[in-house]
Amino acid sequence: MIRILCTFALLLLVLPFGALAAPQTVKAEQVLFLGPLPAFASEQLQQSGKAKQQRQQVLRLLERQPIPVAGRSVELFGQRLQWRQLTPTEAAEAGPGVWFVQLQHDAFLKGKLEISGLQAPQLYLNFQPKNGVSTELALATGWQQLILFTDGRDAQDDVQLQLTSQNEVQAQFRLAAQEPVNNRQLTNAETITQLALSPDTNWMLLSFSGRSDVSDVQLQRTELRDVSRNQVQHSWSGQVLSRAAFSPDNQWLSYIANNTLWLMNLNTGELRSLLENQSGLGQYRWAPDSNSILLQWTEPDTSLQQAKAKMYRALEDRWRGYRDTSRLFQLDIASGLVRALTTDANSSTLSDVRPDGKALLYTQRVNDRTAAPHASTALFELDLTSLQSREIGTFQHLNQVQYHRNQLLVVAGPNFAAGAGVNLPSEDYIANDYDGQLYLMDADGGHIQPLSKDFNPAISSVAVNARGQVIALINEGDRSALYNVDTNRQRFQKLALSLDVIERFELANDRGATVLAVGSGVATPQQLELVRPGQRRATVLHSSTALYQHTQLGEVRDFHVENPQGDRIEGRYYLPPDFDAGNKYPTIVYYYGGTTTVNRQFTGRYPFHHWAANGYIVYVVQPRGTIGYGQRFSALHVNAWGKYTADDIIYATERFVAEHDFVDGKRLGNIGASYGGFMTMYLATQTDLFAASISHAGISALSSYWGQGWWGFLYSGIASRDSFPWNNHELYVGQSPLYMADKITTPLLLITGDSDVNVPAGESQQMFTALKLLGREVALVEIPGEDHHIIDREKRYVWWDHLLAWFDKHLKDQPDWWQQLSD
C-alpha cells in the first residue's frame, strides 16, 4: 500500500534529493518591493523578542488583501508606501523591506531556491517560513507566492533570487495580478455557515467561518444585522454559535454556545442563560406565543461502558449513538424551568409546533423489517395541555412533516401511502424513493393528496410560516431552487434567485413571504440574497466574490447529449484559465450516479476549478437514475447498479471527445466517490475508454456493502428494492465489480478513509487484493482516522494530492509527483 505523507502549505514538501539530470536555472528579473521601513529590519525585530510574531502580522496583512501589484499602496505607521516593481538589485539597494514574487510551473517541480546578496533574508513560501539562503523544494503543479523580508543589500555578493529545476520542469518567476485558484484558497475562504431571519424580517443572524494559514487558526464570527440597512448591530468573535432562532414576537434571539442555551433581548441587548453547561441539547422550536421553547434533549447510553460483550439489539446497533435516547421537553422562558413531554424509552424527534401552540408533531423510528426500506416512521401529535399523545400513523418513506393550516404537509418518496405519489409509465419501473414528493395529509392521517406527482423536479424540503405560506427547496437537475407553493391550486412558482445551488434558506412570517437564502453558482462564489415571491430580482446582501478578485477561473460550459434511448443526459465542463482551443488537453470525467446529481456548487469535496487550473478539462456528467429529471428517469436507478449509468457515462464521454477537438481522447481519466466509486470500478470492467481511473470510497461487492456498511441495508432497500443476495444473484454478483476483476486493465487508484463506516475500507481492500493477484496496475491509499468524507483540512490536501498526482502520472506522463508520494 502507498504510504501517506503529510503535507503543508499549498502542497509544499521540503525534501532532500540526490543528483537529477539536466538542472535548469531561472532567475527573478523583477520583484515587487514594499519599503523602505525600519520596522522590517531583522535586527530591530530580533531585539523586540517577537520577530516571528511581527512578521506574521505583515503576512496576515498580505493574506487578507488582494495580490500586490505595482502602485497599490499600504499605510504603515502613518506612512503610505507603494508596492514598486524593481529589479532584485534595485530592491536590495532600497533598504529594509518586503519582496513579493510568484513562481509558476506546469508540472511537479523538484528544485533548489537560492538567495544571495541580501542581508538577513527571511523567506516565506505560500506564507510558510523557509530556513536559510538555500532551500530544496518539491512543489505541486501551480503557482507559488514568495515573500521575502530583508535588511537590504549585502555588498559581498551579487543580488540574486534563483531557482534551479532538478527534474527538467520549466519554471518562471512572475508578477501577475491574478493567479489560478488553489486548494487552500477554496478551503480557507470565508463562508456563511449559519443564517436566521426574524419573523418580521427586521433582523438576520449570520455566522462566518474562514481560515488563516499564517495564524493557523479557524476564524469564526457571528453578526446580528439590521436587514433594511444591512448593518451590523451586534457581533460575536471566535465563539461558535449554533441553532440560532428568533422568537415569533421578534423580541428574542436564542442560540446554543458552549453547551448553554442563551437568550438575547433584541431591544436591550441583554444576554441571559437558560440551560447552562448541558450536553445533548438538540434542535428546538419556539412556541408561537414566545413564552416557551420546545426542545429535543439527548441522554447518552452508558450500558456498554463496563460491558465485556455487546449483544446487538437491532441492525442499527452498529450506528454510533444508536442507544442514546432523545426526548422532548418544554422550557419556560420566564422561570427557566423545564418539563418533560415524552418519557418513553423510544427516541423522539421534534417535527413541528402547531400554529396555535396547543400541540406539536414528533416522530419515532420503527425498525420494520417486513418490507423495503426496512424501517418506518411513527408520527405522533402531542397535546401540550394534557401531555397526551395520539399516533397519527406509521409510514414508510416519510422525510419531513409540517403543520399547514388544518392539515399536514409531508415530504416523502413516491411510494409513500401505498404509492400515492407514483407517476410512472408502466409497472416495469420501480419508483425511486429518493425522488422527493410533496403531499397534503389530513390531521388524522387519513386522506392523502399528492401535490407534485406531475412536477418533474424532486422536492428536498419545505418551510411553512405562521401564515400558511409554503416555500419548497427543489432539485432541478444539477441545480437547486426555491419555489413558492400554492397548495390549493397545486402550483409551483420559482423564486427569482441568481443562485445555482441553495445551501440554506429561511422563510419569514411577513405578508410578502420574504425568503433569505445563501448559495453559490458554478463559477460564482457564495452569495446571500433576499427575495419575495413575485419579485423579478433578488437583493444581494453579501457576496464572497471579493475573496476571489485576484483569482483567474476558467470558463464553465454546458454539454448535453441525447442517448440512444432518447433521454437527455446533461453535463458541463470546466476549462483551464489559460485555455487555448488549438491545444489538446487531458480530460477528467467525473460522475456520481448514486441517484443525486453532481450540483453546480462553487466549491465541494472535489475541486473542479482547481483541477482545471492544473491543465485539465473536467467533464461532469449526470447519467440516468438521478433525481430532478422526473420519476421515470430516477426509477432507472432501482435494481440497476450501473447498467444504465455506465452506458450513459461511456456514450456521453465518447460524444464529448468527438465534438471537442481540444480533448485528447487517448488521455481520459475518470473518478467517482461512494456510488461513484462503485461506478469507477464497474466501468473498468466494461470499457477501456479511460487511461486512468480513481475510485474513492467505492463499493466493490454489493453483498458486503449491503451487510457491513452502516446504512448499506437501508440504501439497498431503495436502490435494490425487494432484491437480496439470496433471491437476485444476477444483481448482487453480476453487477459487483469484484466478480469481474479479471476484466480490469485500466490503472486504478483506490482511495478511502480507513475509518469509513458507510462504505468500509474493506470494499477497496478486496478489489486491491484481486487486482494485485491478477498482476494489474493498482494502488490503494487509506487516509488515517477519516470517515466517508475526508474532513480534516490537512488530510484533505493529502487526499487531493494523490488524486491529481495519479492523473498527472497517467494522463500527462508526469510520474514525479506520484513517485514522491509513493516513496
Side-chain angles (χ1 to χ4, degrees):
M1 182 174 65
I2 296 170
R3 181 165 58 91
I4 302 296
L5 301 179
C6 290
T7 63
F8 63 92
L10 259 178
L11 316 169
L12 174 64
L13 304 169
V14 182
L15 301 164
F17 29 85
L20 293 169
Q24 300 174 4
T25 299
V26 59
K27 298 178 181 180
E29 302 294 337
Q30 297 281 317
V31 299
L32 289 175
F33 175 77
L34 185 68
L37 192 67
F40 294 150
S42 61
E43 181 178 354
Q44 185 184 42
L45 291 176
Q46 292 304 127
Q47 289 175 349
S48 74
K50 293 290 185 182
K52 177 181 178 181
Q53 291 81 356
Q54 287 177 273
R55 288 194 181 103
Q56 275 190 334
Q57 291 302 102
V58 178
L59 293 171
R60 276 292 288 139
L61 178 67
L62 297 177
E63 187 181 42
R64 289 193 297 261
Q65 294 183 349
I67 289 176
V69 295
R72 182 169 292 154
S73 62
V74 178
E75 187 168 340
L76 299 168
F77 301 106
Q79 297 185 43
R80 184 167 292 278
L81 301 177
Q82 285 190 336
W83 287 99
R84 290 182 286 161
Q85 186 171 327
L86 304 174
T87 67
T89 300
E90 291 170 339
E93 292 174 346
V98 181
W99 296 20
F100 175 86
V101 69
Q102 297 137 304
L103 180 67
Q104 179 193 6
H105 48 100
D106 294 331
F108 180 78
L109 172 67
K110 286 186 177 183
K112 179 181 289 187
L113 187 64
E114 296 177 291
I115 302 167
S116 62
L118 299 179
Q119 294 185 47
Q122 176 60 58
L123 176 68
Y124 289 80
L125 189 76
N126 301 318
F127 298 102
Q128 299 301 309
K130 310 302 301 174
N131 296 321
V133 296
S134 179
T135 304
E136 291 183 328
L137 304 172
L139 302 173
T141 305
W143 289 56
Q144 322 297 333
Q145 294 185 5
L146 282 70
I147 299 168
L148 180 66
F149 291 84
T150 175
D151 289 358
R153 177 79 183 261
D154 182 349
Q156 295 182 357
D157 297 303
D158 292 336
V159 178
Q160 287 187 349
L161 177 62
Q162 66 180 24
L163 176 82
T164 301
S165 169
Q166 297 177 329
N167 63 339
E168 300 183 344
V169 171
Q170 297 293 326
Q172 59 179 320
F173 289 102
R174 297 285 301 271
L175 291 176
Q178 286 192 319
E179 293 179 348
V181 70
N182 60 65
N183 282 344
R184 290 187 175 261
Q185 184 180 13
L186 293 173
T187 57
N188 291 0
E190 186 179 72
T191 57
I192 296 172
T193 56
Q194 178 183 218
L195 76 160
L197 179 65
S198 66
D200 61 4
T201 74
N202 288 337
W203 302 95
M204 63 180 172
L205 183 117
L206 307 174
S207 293
F208 299 85
S209 180
R211 181 99 187 172
S212 166
D213 276 334
V214 175
S215 306
D216 193 26
V217 294
Q218 195 78 19
L219 302 173
Q220 297 174 318
R221 62 189 174 91
T222 299
E223 296 177 350
L224 178 66
R225 293 189 184 184
D226 177 297
V227 173
S228 61
R229 294 178 296 173
N230 197 19
Q231 292 183 350
V232 177
Q233 303 299 308
H234 187 85
S235 62
W236 297 258
S237 178
Q239 189 175 15
V240 179
L241 308 185
S242 63
R243 301 184 181 91
F246 292 93
S247 62
D249 63 3
N250 303 289
Q251 299 300 306
W252 299 98
L253 168 69
S254 59
Y255 60 87
I256 296 173
N258 299 321
N259 289 330
T260 298
L261 179 61
W262 292 88
L263 287 185
M264 177 181 177
N265 189 301
L266 294 171
N267 297 315
T268 67
E270 172 196 0
L271 276 176
R272 176 180 159 203
S273 60
L274 285 178
L275 292 173
E276 299 175 351
N277 195 27
Q278 298 294 325
S279 62
L281 296 175
Q283 62 172 315
Y284 64 86
R285 299 284 186 99
W286 278 89
D289 60 8
S290 299
N291 291 327
S292 66
I293 287 175
L294 294 311
L295 65 94
Q296 192 173 312
W297 203 343
T298 300
E299 184 71 19
D301 175 74
T302 59
S303 63
L304 294 173
Q305 289 182 354
Q306 304 299 325
K308 296 181 179 179
K310 176 181 178 179
M311 179 71 74
Y312 270 54
R313 296 175 180 174
L315 292 173
E316 293 84 353
D317 210 5
R318 69 188 86 176
W319 299 354
R320 190 178 300 113
Y322 173 70
R323 296 192 182 191
D324 298 347
T325 304
S326 295
R327 296 187 174 93
L328 305 185
F329 296 82
Q330 187 171 21
L331 170 63
D332 181 65
I333 298 300
S335 65
L337 295 181
V338 176
R339 67 169 178 168
L341 302 180
T342 61
T343 57
D344 57 324
N346 297 322
S347 284
S348 298
T349 301
L350 178 64
S351 294
D352 198 13
V353 180
R354 205 162 72 190
D356 62 8
K358 295 182 179 180
L360 60 78
L361 293 172
Y362 70 95
T363 62
Q364 292 183 346
R365 181 182 178 82
V366 178
N367 295 332
D368 178 7
R369 311 305 183 204
T370 59
H374 317 302
S376 300
T377 301
L379 176 62
F380 300 88
E381 184 175 57
L382 174 69
D383 187 301
L384 289 173
T385 301
S386 66
L387 298 190
Q388 296 297 308
S389 292
R390 68 178 182 90
E391 184 173 355
I392 296 173
T394 299
F395 306 94
Q396 294 177 328
H397 316 294
L398 175 65
N399 299 325
Q400 183 187 2
V401 58
Q402 299 275 108
Y403 284 108
H404 179 56
R405 299 191 175 98
N406 296 322
Q407 294 176 290
L408 304 178
L409 194 63
V410 173
V411 178
N415 288 303
F416 177 71
V422 173
N423 180 11
L424 291 169
S426 73
E427 294 182 356
D428 294 335
Y429 296 90
I430 300 175
N432 181 342
D433 280 301
Y434 289 112
D435 201 326
Q437 303 295 312
L438 194 61
Y439 304 85
L440 269 180
M441 182 167 69
D442 287 351
D444 61 1
H447 178 70
I448 296 174
Q449 178 188 3
L451 299 178
S452 60
K453 195 170 182 177
D454 299 316
F455 185 64
N456 277 341
I459 313 296
S460 179
S461 63
V462 294
V464 184
N465 66 12
R467 297 176 180 271
Q469 296 161 316
V470 179
I471 298 294
L473 176 61
I474 289 175
N475 294 315
E476 295 182 307
D478 61 358
R479 292 173 167 85
S480 62
L482 294 176
Y483 278 74
N484 179 51
V485 183
D486 184 334
T487 57
N488 292 326
R489 300 180 181 180
Q490 300 184 33
R491 290 182 180 176
F492 295 80
Q493 179 192 19
K494 189 173 182 178
L495 302 191
L497 297 162
S498 67
L499 308 168
D500 284 345
V501 177
I502 307 298
E503 297 167 13
R504 50 186 62 88
F505 74 99
E506 289 279 300
L507 170 63
N509 283 338
D510 64 321
R511 188 177 299 276
T514 299
V515 172
L516 183 68
V518 64
S520 62
V522 72
T524 305
Q526 192 186 65
Q527 286 192 170
L528 178 72
E529 299 184 1
L530 191 77
V531 71
R532 297 174 177 85
Q535 278 189 315
R536 299 182 64 181
R537 181 176 300 177
T539 301
V540 177
L541 299 177
H542 176 85
S543 175
S544 298
T545 302
L547 300 175
Y548 293 88
Q549 62 181 307
H550 61 280
T551 302
Q552 183 182 8
L553 297 175
E555 184 182 355
V556 183
R557 301 174 182 173
D558 289 337
F559 178 74
H560 313 311
V561 300
E562 183 177 297
N563 68 12
Q565 292 73 35
D567 291 303
R568 175 183 166 93
I569 306 302
E570 293 190 348
R572 64 183 185 273
Y573 60 100
Y574 298 70
L575 296 173
D578 57 354
F579 173 70
D580 180 350
N583 291 338
K584 286 279 191 180
Y585 290 87
T587 297
I588 299 172
V589 180
Y590 186 86
Y591 42 76
Y592 175 47
T595 207
T596 57
T597 57
V598 182
N599 69 31
R600 301 171 72 90
Q601 193 171 12
F602 181 71
T603 61
R605 295 174 63 196
Y606 297 90
F608 302 140
H609 281 292
H610 178 62
W611 294 352
N614 276 266
Y616 290 97
I617 306 290
V618 183
Y619 174 42
V620 179
V621 62
Q622 317 287 0
R624 282 175 292 176
T626 57
I627 64 173
Y629 298 105
Q631 288 191 35
R632 187 195 65 82
F633 198 91
S634 67
L636 295 174
H637 179 73
V638 182
N639 281 318
W641 282 93
K643 286 183 179 178
Y644 307 106
T645 310
D647 290 344
D648 290 343
I649 293 170
I650 293 169
Y651 180 81
T653 300
E654 290 174 339
R655 296 306 310 153
F656 184 68
V657 173
E659 296 185 28
H660 298 92
D661 292 338
F662 50 79
V663 173
D664 188 339
K666 295 182 179 179
R667 294 190 293 158
L668 300 176
N670 63 318
I671 176 173
S674 194
Y675 193 99
F678 156 78
M679 283 308 309
T680 291
M681 295 189 215
Y682 182 77
L683 282 163
T685 71
Q686 305 295 306
T687 181
D688 58 1
L689 179 64
F690 301 103
S693 300
I694 298 178
S695 168
H696 171 225
I699 300 162
S700 61
L702 304 189
S703 57
S704 55
Y705 166 68
W706 166 82
Q708 295 181 41
W710 277 17
W711 301 278
F713 76 98
L714 291 173
Y715 182 80
S716 299
I718 295 175
S720 312
R721 190 180 182 92
D722 297 326
S723 291
F724 303 95
W726 54 85
N727 71 1
N728 196 340
H729 289 209
E730 182 180 350
L731 180 68
Y732 280 86
V733 175
Q735 293 302 115
S736 291
L738 182 64
Y739 296 100
M740 299 178 281
D742 59 324
K743 297 181 179 179
I744 296 177
T745 58
T746 305
L748 177 61
L749 168 61
L750 303 159
I751 191 164
T752 180
D754 72 352
S755 301
D756 193 334
V757 298
N758 183 11
V759 179
E763 293 296 321
S764 295
Q765 292 166 359
Q766 58 193 8
M767 179 58 81
F768 180 70
T769 300
L771 294 179
K772 273 294 185 183
L773 293 177
L774 288 165
R776 308 298 158 77
E777 184 174 359
V778 62
L780 173 61
V781 173
E782 292 184 356
I783 309 298
E786 291 299 296
D787 203 331
H788 199 54
H789 301 277
I790 311 301
I791 301 299
D792 180 86
R793 180 168 162 269
E794 295 303 317
K795 290 178 182 177
R796 176 171 288 198
Y797 299 142
V798 174
W799 168 46
W800 283 346
D801 283 1
H802 281 81
L803 304 184
L804 272 181
W806 182 259
F807 283 139
D808 279 4
K809 174 185 177 181
H810 293 283
L811 305 185
K812 291 184 176 180
D813 194 24
Q814 296 174 357
D816 290 358
W817 191 7
W818 182 257
Q819 187 62 46
Q820 185 81 35
L821 295 172
S822 303
D823 287 343

